[in-house]
Amino acid sequence: MKKHNTFSIILLTVVAVLALSACGTKPQTNNNAPQGADQPQTQQPQATPEPVAEPQVKKGTGVYNGAADPHTVEIETNGEAQSFQLGEGLDTVIAGLKEGDPVAFEYTEKAVEDDATAKQLTLTKIQKTEASTDSSQNGSSGQQVGGNRAKTQTFELNLEGKKEKQTATLAKGEGYSLYVFDPMSLFPDQNRVALAVDDNYYAEITKLPSNFNLDELQKDGEKDLASIGKVQKLDKAAVPQALTSSRLFLQANGSKITQQYIVVENTTGAFSVKVNIPHGEPAEGFESFIYTSLESLQANK
């Protein structure tokens, strides 16, 4: 009986040891997993596309020579014929032009692939002008237009401190005509003479009725120029020498621009003119040209 009890105790002890060993066993960790499999992925920064530069719009004037094909036209400028691709919507404008029409236009340049010297010219805007800007179109100064004014006339101007002779071409607006120099064009639909290279330099012309009131015009001019700066009325001594026919000359100077309101009167009629002159390199030459042109204003008979 004693042996039986001893055997039972030994058996229970072995079972207990085995049970404790089983509880203390830990599952093995798989260390063979690929390195970094459980690590978060690092996102590479996406490259920001470079902005595409807008093509620079250039301006020019010349003579329309016609269409080479439905998408290409030829314009003679500075004595040289150039081909231009038509921009969107310009086919209807081109349809209204005739060969030999003087035109003002805007265009862009694009380099031609595999040819560093060639450029593709694309028109973005074109319109007929009244005055030819090509000196070869001036004709002789003795040729008459409408029986009373020569097609061209030579004037003496003060340019960059020197006196020069320049030939201008007769142009007709709404109820008037005047001589316009090569750097400028008359746009009859706007009654505006503008510098070809930068049409922010311009003069807007309005033919006045015969019974105009100068005092009322001065009030209108002062009101119109007030947004630019202090309005000054120039006396005769301060008025540009080219404008001997001016009856009124108002001027306002801003930080970036000068505007003028001028009333011109001669034996043919009277006109009010708003002149816009940005502060820039073309200003001096523009003033010499525009004052001489305004002095040549005549009302149509």
Side-chain angles (χ1 to χ4, degrees):
M1 185 68 178
K2 186 176 181 181
K3 289 182 179 180
H4 179 75
N5 291 338
T6 302
F7 178 78
S8 298
I9 293 170
I10 293 172
L11 181 60
L12 290 172
T13 302
V14 171
V15 171
V17 170
L18 291 174
L20 290 173
S21 298
C23 292
T25 303
K26 296 182 179 179
Q28 292 185 352
T29 303
N30 184 8
N31 294 325
N32 295 326
Q35 186 175 1
D38 295 331
Q39 296 179 359
Q41 297 292 325
T42 303
Q43 293 185 350
Q44 296 295 329
Q46 295 183 353
T48 303
E50 295 184 3
V52 179
E54 291 291 332
Q56 181 181 3
V57 177
K58 298 186 176 183
K59 299 179 181 181
T61 57
V63 177
Y64 177 68
N65 285 347
D69 58 52
H71 310 289
T72 310
V73 297
E74 184 179 277
I75 299 174
E76 184 176 338
T77 176
N78 296 324
E80 180 181 353
Q82 290 185 305
S83 295
F84 294 83
Q85 299 294 308
L86 291 181
E88 185 177 355
L90 289 186
D91 50 343
T92 55
V93 181
I94 293 298
L97 295 176
K98 298 178 181 178
E99 291 186 20
D101 281 347
V103 292
F105 56 92
E106 297 180 5
Y107 65 99
T108 59
E109 288 185 354
K110 182 181 179 181
V112 176
E113 191 174 353
D114 299 329
D115 190 344
T117 61
K119 292 182 179 180
Q120 179 179 306
L121 309 180
T122 302
L123 287 176
T124 59
K125 182 179 180 181
I126 185 170
Q127 66 182 108
K128 180 181 177 181
T129 61
E130 194 65 26
S132 169
T133 57
D134 186 346
S135 59
S136 65
Q137 303 294 317
N138 284 339
S140 63
S141 60
Q143 187 176 357
Q144 298 294 311
V145 175
N148 55 3
R149 301 197 81 178
K151 182 179 179 181
T152 62
Q153 186 169 326
T154 301
F155 298 86
E156 188 174 75
L157 293 83
N158 192 350
L159 297 172
E160 297 181 354
K162 298 180 181 179
K163 290 187 176 181
E164 296 184 16
K165 289 186 177 181
Q166 296 274 348
T167 300
T169 304
L170 187 66
K172 293 183 178 180
E174 187 176 339
Y176 63 87
S177 63
L178 79 167
Y179 287 98
V180 178
F181 293 91
D182 282 352
M184 301 185 296
S185 294
L186 171 66
F187 299 89
D189 57 332
Q190 304 174 40
N191 285 308
R192 176 180 289 194
V193 178
L195 200 60
V197 296
D198 187 346
D199 57 9
N200 288 311
Y201 294 84
Y202 64 83
E204 289 181 346
I205 303 168
T206 302
K207 187 176 182 295
L208 296 174
S210 57
N211 61 342
F212 72 91
N213 186 307
L214 192 61
D215 292 334
E216 291 299 321
L217 290 175
Q218 180 172 337
K219 292 179 182 178
D220 292 342
E222 290 173 343
K223 183 178 179 180
D224 193 29
L225 301 182
S227 61
I228 302 300
K230 183 180 179 180
V231 181
Q232 295 177 310
K233 180 181 179 181
L234 275 61
D235 57 29
K236 278 291 184 181
V239 172
Q241 294 182 358
L243 271 177
T244 58
S245 61
S246 68
R247 291 281 309 277
L248 175 68
F249 198 114
L250 303 177
Q251 179 170 293
N253 296 314
S255 59
K256 296 182 179 180
I257 196 169
T258 293
Q259 284 191 351
Q260 299 164 342
Y261 182 88
I262 306 169
V263 175
V264 176
E265 185 179 24
N266 53 42
T267 56
T268 69
F271 310 87
S272 65
V273 185
K274 180 180 178 180
V275 183
N276 195 72
I277 311 172
H279 297 167
E281 185 177 347
E284 182 180 356
F286 172 73
E287 290 183 72
S288 296
F289 285 122
I290 197 62
Y291 296 148
T292 305
S293 291
L294 295 178
E295 185 66 16
S296 73
L297 271 168
Q298 287 190 14
N300 294 344
K301 294 181 179 179

